[in-house]
């Protein structure tokens, strides 16, 4: 009998077949073809008779997506078919099916059977037309993932461009789709998918910006610009918040970095010596966590320079004007007060940042500058942001006059006066010409007010004008330095830029430092040249050597190398000596005399920082730095805390107790029961148990004997 | 006293009532309560006569929809039972067949893909007894969906479903042969051929690995059915002799209108059928060629022919006994017969003088010569047996036909 060929393994379910196909695609071609035919018929059936039971269709799609790369000749149209299917019928499909198709398409993209751009081109139209939220969430997730993956190794500019173009159109269409109409019924306004698509687009840009994938991308910024100008309130708001928030994000990170500069080594050392308390332990824990975070940050790949989004705008003046026209003074647009305020914040920040002129804004803000206006400090802060030195003084003057009239009068609360003067100071710090001498002198009278806030505000104003234009102040307010300098002072003129640093900022500090170092070096040079060497290395012009690499002590260095190092150090020492000699001749300008090395520049930064700290500690608390951002908190001034009522006090107490353990000894922490009665008896006062003791002792012999006998009997019974 | 009382009562009318906090105002004397609502009047005796009939009808309808719903039950025996019940029910209510044909087709044809063999068996009975007894005009629009599910069955991954699928196909083909218009066949021509190619294992492209043995001994019965259904299908599609039957007689001239001298479009009768333009495939998503003609169908079939010829050769050589002691399966004669029949259909086209594909002619002639040789052996060894004798006769006829065609 002829032995038959062992029959090929015939698969009975799709996962099995999938496994077999992956192992040996050539010999299972027929089976695959069969399933391909099956898929086609099932698809036809599904199109004729859509049902909710899509498990079979799903599994077929899955199977083919997984294996199609082995049979490209049969399945070359598969991805196109799927996309057609999705695009034409997505709104009727049950969620599982559309999800499966999306997954299959992503799989095909990963198998490079489909270009990412084609995939995204298929997905984007669905954003605006699919009614299901979950589906759009899925799409969002996939698109975002695709972009992130594409940009993982290097920036994929082509893809980014395509996606950004698509997002741009999404934002634009959502703008045209929405029709603003006042809705008097209390019904919640339902957004159409078309409108929401703008939201998704904005969200995506924001997300990718945050993830440092698109940060610093001018095109992304301009998408957000379009969003901020949208008629759709939601889209508009998220666009505006992007500009307001994207800037602060970087600063926050920096701020936290600066905080970390606490001396870790010292703290660790202290922890070994000092008494170990819980608070110290938590402190160490906190620092350790922070260090870990910092390390992680170092490990992360260096991201591109994060320009603030506001700086990347193509046409800030046009944007500002359009923002003002479209969102604030548009009669068809009725934003709520909060939203207006947000837009105003962005607009004024734009103006302050780029020194723009939108003259309509100031008359527009006029009506909001009354003490009764809600959030008036915000408005005042906005006004301060919107003022800069290039605004004609006659535009700002009426505003300041109004603030003075409305806020700084008798018959209003001290807080109001304080806010008014602070606001005027902030405006005048940026645009000093808006003030007249009479008004200034009136306002400075408030320095002798009884309220602390008002006094401080008034003094702030005085100190500001001491710097800017002391001649406008009363004689007695000018102060010693200002009145001494008054003669040879060049008065500022309109149109001049304020706070411009000429030359290199802090150069005189460096010069001073160098002189000091030179003296020190001379003293120590003879006996301890190593120290001097260190100094010359860090402070001087030795070379364009990276400081850090010098500082690092490489243990694996061979001896030869270290010898070399010593040699070079020796030569540097010689150089330093010669330079020291030169330095003896006093020169007025260091920069003119020598070239600043990176080491110098680093030192310069250090010195500047130190000077800042010194000023903060010893000098006036506030410096008139004309930041683009003004906080409402600055306007409000110091607030005296009002006396709490009982609830408030209790809440404060409870807040303090949150998360702390209970006081009390820790000895019986694990034994929640109290002492036994026997134990308690031992510590009882004798007088309390005297009668008991006395009763026992004063018994007659008979009674004693009886009780003893009883005891013996009891014991015997117990033993038995 | 009486007087004073009266006086008090009189005075009370003019006294000003004091309003009290938290109490409603005192009602005046002439107050009328109007807070009631009108109520509907119900006369329960009105609808008694129709009610019974109504409920009877509703009950019926409920049962029908219940049975249809039960067809999707997860338990196989439940499905089968409800299918049987449904067939009884429909037969006892013949009106349903005309009113809800499409519903029945829609609901029952997915069961072609049912996992349980019993369900498929009773579905076959249902189709045989119920569905294909329906008026062809009603059946025609609904054959499409049956075709679709049959295709799906023919390519299904589970072997038993695949094997049973041709049974339904044979039913459909029978209906096509007798009653339906040929456009139904044209619409599904290519797809069915594809399904057959995967079912019988002849592949359209050369890339796949050839199976050496087409048949496993186990499933000869299924294979025989597949081949014979395929044969039937080919005959129906491209045999010119079958075409006259499928085309319905075009025009009935006994319109009532004729007597009244009303001009009627000659294809009026055709337009009366529900799916008279289905062959145009206006509404189907897939692209079909408009092939409502055996010649076109054959053109459409061309890519399948090499595989089909290979398959017939393999089938013949597997089934045909040459040596006397060769164990012959019960169905081998049947297979040989069908193979001959298939070749018979193809020969008209392949050997036609207008046919240009030379390699197909060569391939065909090779097979023909092989069969010719083996039939000689067959005559020598098996001439005594009835079944083989008939095959030999069939081949003689076939040979004559080939010779005739070659002469042309």
């Amino acid at each position: 009998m002829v032995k038959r060929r062992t029959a090929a393994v015939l698969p009975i379910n799709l996962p099995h077949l999938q496994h077999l196909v992956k192992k040996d695609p050539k010999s299972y071609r027929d089976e695959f073809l069969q399933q391909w035919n099956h898929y086609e018929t099932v698809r036809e059936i599904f199109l004729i008779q859509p049902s909710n039971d899509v498990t079979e269709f799903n599994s077929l799609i899955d199977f083919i997506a997984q294996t199609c790369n082995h049979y490209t000749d049969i399945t070359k149209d598969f991805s196109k078919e799927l996309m057609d299917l999705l695009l034409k019928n997505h709104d009727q499909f049950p969620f599982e099916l559309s999800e499966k198709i999306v997954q299959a398409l992503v799989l095909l993209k990963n198998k490079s059977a489909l270009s990412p751009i084609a995939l995204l081109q298929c997905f984007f139209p669905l954003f605006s037309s699919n009614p299901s939220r979950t589906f759009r969430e899925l799409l969002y997730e996939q698109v975002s993932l695709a972009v992130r993956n594409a940009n993982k190794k290097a920036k994929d500019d082509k893809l980014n461009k395509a996606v950004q173009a698509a997002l741009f159109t999404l934002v634009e269409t959502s703008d045209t789709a929405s029709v603003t109409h006042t809705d008097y019924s209390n019904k919640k306004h339902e957004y159409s998918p078309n409108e929401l698509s703008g939201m998704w687009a904005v969200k995506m840009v924001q997300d990718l910006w945050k993830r440092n994938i698109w940060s610093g991308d001018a095109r992304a910024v301009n998408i957000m610009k379009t969003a901020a100008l949208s008629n759709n309130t939601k889209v508009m708001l998220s666009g505006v918040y992007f500009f307001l928030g994207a800037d602060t994000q970087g600063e926050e990170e920096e701020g936290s970095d600066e905080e970390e500069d606490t001396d870790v080594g010292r703290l660790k050392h202290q922890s070994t010596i000092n008494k170990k308390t819980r608070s110290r332990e938590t402190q160490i824990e906190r620092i350790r966590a922070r260090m870990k975070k910092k390390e992680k940050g170092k490990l992360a790949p260096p991201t591109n320079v994060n320009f603030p989004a506001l700086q990347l705008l193509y046409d800030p003046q046009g944007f500002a004007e359009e923002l003002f026209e479209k969102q604030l003074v548009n009669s068809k647009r009725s934003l709520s007060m909060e939203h207006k305020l947000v837009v105003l914040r962005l607009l004024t920040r734009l103006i302050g940042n780029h020194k723009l002129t939108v003259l309509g804004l100031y008359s527009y803000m006029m009506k909001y500058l009354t003490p009764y206006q809600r959030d008036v400090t915000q408005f005042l802060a906005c006004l301060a942001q919107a003022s800069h030195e290039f605004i004609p003084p006659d535009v700002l003057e009426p505003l300041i006059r109004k603030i003075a009239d409305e806020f700084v009068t008798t018959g209003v609360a001290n807080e109001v006066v304080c806010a008014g003067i602070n606001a005027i100071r902030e405006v005048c710090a940026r645009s000093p010409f808006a003030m007249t001498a009479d008004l200034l002198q009136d306002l400075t009278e408030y320095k002798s007010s009884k309220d602390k806030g008002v006094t401080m505000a008034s003094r702030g104003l005085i100190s500001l004008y001491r710097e800017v234009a002391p001649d406008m102040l009363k004689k007695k307010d000018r102060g010693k330095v200002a009145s001494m300098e008054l003669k040879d002072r060049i008065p500022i003129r309109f149109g001049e830029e304020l706070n411009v640093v000429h030359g290199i900022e802090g150069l005189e500090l460096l010069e001073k430092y160098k002189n000091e170092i030179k003296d020190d070096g001379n003293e120590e040079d003879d006996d301890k040249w190593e120290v001097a060497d260190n100094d010359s290395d860090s402070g001087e012009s030795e070379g364009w050597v990276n400081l850090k690499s010098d500082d690092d002590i490489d243990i694996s260095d061979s001896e030869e190398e270290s010898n070399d190092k010593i040699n070079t150090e020796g030569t540097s020492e010689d150089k330093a000596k010669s330079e020291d000699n030169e330095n003896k001749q006093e020169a007025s300008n260091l920069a003119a005399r020598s070239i600043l090395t990176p080491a110098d520049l680093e030192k310069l930064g250090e010195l500047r920082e130190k000077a800042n700290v010194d000023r903060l500690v010893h000098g006036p608390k506030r410096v008139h730095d004309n930041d683009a951002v003004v906080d409402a908190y600055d306007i409000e001034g110091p607030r005296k805390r009002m006396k709490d009522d009982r609830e408030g006090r209790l809440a404060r107490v409870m807040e303090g107790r949150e998360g702390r353990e209970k006081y009390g000894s820790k000895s019986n922490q694990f034994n929640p029961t109290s002492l036994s009665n026997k134990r308690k008896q031992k510590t009882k006062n004798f007088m309390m148990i005297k009668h008991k003791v006395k009763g026992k002792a004063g018994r007659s012999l008979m009674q004693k004997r009886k009780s003893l006998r009883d005891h013996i009997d009891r014991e015997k019974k117990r033993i038995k | 006293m009486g007087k004073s009382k009266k006086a008090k009562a009189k005075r009370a009318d003019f006294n000003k009532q004091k309003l009290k906090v938290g109490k409603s105002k005192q009602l005046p004397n002439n107050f009328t309560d109007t807070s009631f609502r009108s109520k509907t009047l119900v006369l329960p005796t009105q609808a008694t006569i129709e009610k019974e009939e109504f409920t009877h009808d509703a009950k019926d309808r409920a049962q029908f929809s219940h049975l249809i719903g039960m067809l999707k039950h997860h338990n196989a025996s439940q499905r089968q039972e409800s299918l049987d019940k449904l067939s009884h029910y429909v037969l006892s209510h013949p009106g349903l067949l005309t009113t809800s044909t499409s519903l029945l087709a829609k609901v029952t044809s997915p069961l072609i893909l049912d996992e349980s063999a019993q369900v498929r068996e009773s579905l076959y009975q249902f189709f045989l007894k119920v569905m294909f007894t329906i008026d062809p005009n009603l059946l025609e629009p609904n054959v499409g969906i049956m075709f679709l599910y049959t295709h799906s069955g023919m390519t299904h991954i589970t072997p038993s479903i695949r094997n049973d699928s041709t049974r339904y196909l044979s039913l459909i083909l029978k209906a096509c042969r007798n009653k339906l218009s040929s456009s139904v066949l044209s619409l599904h021509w290519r797809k069915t051929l594809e399904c057959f190619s995967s079912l019988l294992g002849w592949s359209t492209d050369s890339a796949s690995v050839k199976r050496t043995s087409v048949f496993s001994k186990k499933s000869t019965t299924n294979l025989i059915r597949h081949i014979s259904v395929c044969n039937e299908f080919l005959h129906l599609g491209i045999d010119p002799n079958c075409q006259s039957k499928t085309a319905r007689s075009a025009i009935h001239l006994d319109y009532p209108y004729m007597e009244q001298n009303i001009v009627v479009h000659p294809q009026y009768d055709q337009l009366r059928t529900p799916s008279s333009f289905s062959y145009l495939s206006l509404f189907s998503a897939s692209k079909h060629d408009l092939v409502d003609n055996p010649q076109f169908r054959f053109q459409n079939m061309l890519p399948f022919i090499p595989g089909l010829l290979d398959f017939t050769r393999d089938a013949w050589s597997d089934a045909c006994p040459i040596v006397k002691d060769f164990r012959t399966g019960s169905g081998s004669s049947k297979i040989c017969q069908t193979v001959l029949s298939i070749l018979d259909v193809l020969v008209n086209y392949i050997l036609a003088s207008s046919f240009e594909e030379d390699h197909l002619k060569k391939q065909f002639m090779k097979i023909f010569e092989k069969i010719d040789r083996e039939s000689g052996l067959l005559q020598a060894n098996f001439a005594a047996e009835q079944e083989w004798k008939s095959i030999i006769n069939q081949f003689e006829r076939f040979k004559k036909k080939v010779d005739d065609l070659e002469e042309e």
Side-chain angles (χ1 to χ4, degrees), chain A residues 4-5 11-14 17 26-27 29-31 34-35 37-38 40-42 44-45 48-49 56, chain B residues 106 145 148-149 151-152 154-157 162 191 194 198 203 205 207-209 211-213 286:
Chain A
R4 284 193 163 268
R5 187 179 71 100
I12 41 159
N13 58 3
L14 281 175
L17 180 58
K26 216 170 184 185
S27 43
R29 191 186 171 87
D30 278 349
E31 272 75 16
Q34 191 179 34
Q35 288 316 307
N37 277 333
H38 193 52
E40 282 186 336
T41 51
V42 171
E44 253 168 63
I45 290 171
I48 288 173
Q49 210 177 345
E56 194 190 8
Chain B
K106 235 181 214 176
I145 196 158
L148 270 180
Y149 276 101
H151 289 157
S152 186
M154 285 166 84
T155 52
H156 204 275
I157 196 165
R162 222 159 43 211
K191 187 75 200 165
E194 273 172 19
S198 69
S203 49
D205 52 356
S208 64
V209 175
R211 290 275 153 73
T212 45
S213 164
S286 54

Side-chain angles (χ1 to χ4, degrees), chain B residues 14 26 32 122 177 204 210 225 233 255 272 292 390:
Chain B
F14 298 98
Q26 211 172 33
T32 317
S122 50
R177 179 190 289 275
T204 50
K210 284 275 182 315
R225 190 175 55 245
F233 179 68
Y255 302 121
R272 280 205 305 190
D292 201 10
S390 71

Side-chain angles (χ1 to χ4, degrees), chain A residues 400-428:
Chain A
I400 286 190
R401 174 68 61 187
K402 179 159 191 202
I403 296 174
D405 289 348
E406 296 260 352
F407 288 76
V408 196
T409 50
T410 50
V412 292
N414 283 330
E415 286 88 21
V416 178
V417 178
C418 172
I421 299 179
N422 275 333
I424 290 174
R425 190 202 60 224
E426 290 292 344
V427 172
C428 289

Side-chain angles (χ1 to χ4, degrees), chain A residues 51 64 71 112 170 231 349 359 368 391 412 442 444 459 465 467 509 547 553 571 606 612 625 627 664 668 698 710 715:
Chain A
S51 68
I64 289 174
Y71 309 102
S112 59
L170 275 190
N231 280 328
R349 196 186 288 187
L359 292 180
Y368 294 110
I391 293 175
V412 292
D442 277 355
T444 50
R459 279 186 195 156
Y465 271 90
E467 279 176 30
L509 292 172
L547 249 187
I553 296 165
T571 54
E606 213 173 275
N612 276 336
D625 50 344
D627 267 348
N668 55 359
D710 282 353
E715 288 299 299

